[in-house]
Amino acid sequence: MTRENLARSAVLSVADCLDILRRVDVVQRVLLIGGGAKSEALCSVFPDTLGIPVTVLETGEHVALGAARQKAWTPGEFPRWSRTASRELRPSGDAGVREFRRRYGLVRRATEAELA
């Protein structure tokens, strides 16, 4: 297991989860924040791997703000704070990524079948 393979599996796991959320029609957009937003490696692979545009937010205290939002929320009164996007990343349509995801899906399903 290399660092690179671990990173690939994490990104593919996010893609699998996003696929499930798409099937139940709850995905509006993908935001990349925190350390992920600072990672050129993630910024370069997320749009094609996820198959959806990815908005990269300016670095900030997004986790702390999210916790503050949850604490401040009352029914009917959800506070809104501004978010500043630093860039929008779009999928390139790379056929190699689609093929990689297809193969990954085959291996994942075969592994799940063996474990069942």
Side-chain angles (χ1 to χ4, degrees), residues 89-109:
L89 308 172
R90 300 214 165 268
S92 68
D94 185 339
V97 173
R98 284 194 306 276
E99 176 60 15
F100 184 77
R101 285 216 53 211
R102 187 189 70 75
R103 288 186 199 175
Y104 167 80
L106 293 172
V107 171
R108 188 191 71 242
R109 286 186 293 281

Side-chain angles (χ1 to χ4, degrees), residues 47-83:
D48 278 316
T49 304
L50 301 179
I52 190 172
V54 175
T55 301
V56 180
L57 297 184
E58 286 184 359
T59 303
E61 295 298 328
H62 301 292
V63 173
L65 285 173
R69 277 191 188 125
Q70 288 178 0
K71 180 66 177 162
W73 178 79
T74 59
E77 297 180 28
F78 189 77
R80 300 218 178 257
W81 284 280
S82 64
R83 293 183 283 239

Side-chain angles (χ1 to χ4, degrees), residues 21-40:
L21 292 172
R22 280 187 184 143
R23 286 196 291 268
V24 294
D25 199 29
V26 296
V27 176
Q28 295 177 358
R29 62 185 167 175
V30 173
L31 302 176
L32 191 56
I33 65 171
K38 295 176 188 176
S39 168
E40 283 305 313

